[in-house]
Amino acid sequence: MTLYYFTKDEKGTSSSVCTGDCLAKWPISTAVSDEPVLEGVTGEAGTIESPDGEKQVTLNGMPLYTFAQDAKPGDTAGQGGGGVWYAAAPDGTMIQ
């Protein structure tokens, strides 16, 4: 699935700004390891603790999310959402 950045999050943050209703629309990307391996990704992957105690995947220090309305891999319905949601490129840059 497409992974997105939320521009209200800060690089290097230890917690996500997206909480409550935000998470219903923008679920976090989770990992089982503190050092997730993202196939085909050259940016630096890591994790932070989510509000519910899960490991939220980060890329180049920014938390990652999916979009609830993306139905299948390759969908990008969340791109540009509200002027604050942007897809993450494999190198960790934000696609605007």
Side-chain angles (χ1 to χ4, degrees):
M1 299 302 286
T2 301
L3 296 174
Y4 297 91
Y5 290 122
F6 184 35
T7 60
K8 294 184 179 184
D9 283 325
E10 291 186 28
K11 186 175 183 172
T13 187
S14 62
S15 62
S16 169
V17 174
C18 182
T19 60
D21 289 342
C22 177
L23 289 176
K25 295 176 186 171
W26 298 93
I28 64 170
S29 174
T30 60
V32 294
S33 165
D34 287 336
E35 298 178 10
V37 176
L38 305 177
E39 188 175 324
V41 174
T42 58
E44 184 180 338
T47 63
I48 59 172
E49 188 172 331
S50 72
D52 60 0
E54 292 188 79
K55 294 178 191 313
Q56 182 173 4
V57 177
T58 62
L59 186 55
N60 291 349
M62 291 286 290
L64 293 174
Y65 307 83
T66 58
F67 183 51
Q69 293 181 17
D70 283 350
K72 63 186 182 313
D75 285 355
T76 58
Q79 177 64 7
V84 295
W85 293 96
Y86 296 99
D91 66 358
T93 57
M94 188 179 302
I95 301 171
Q96 293 182 300

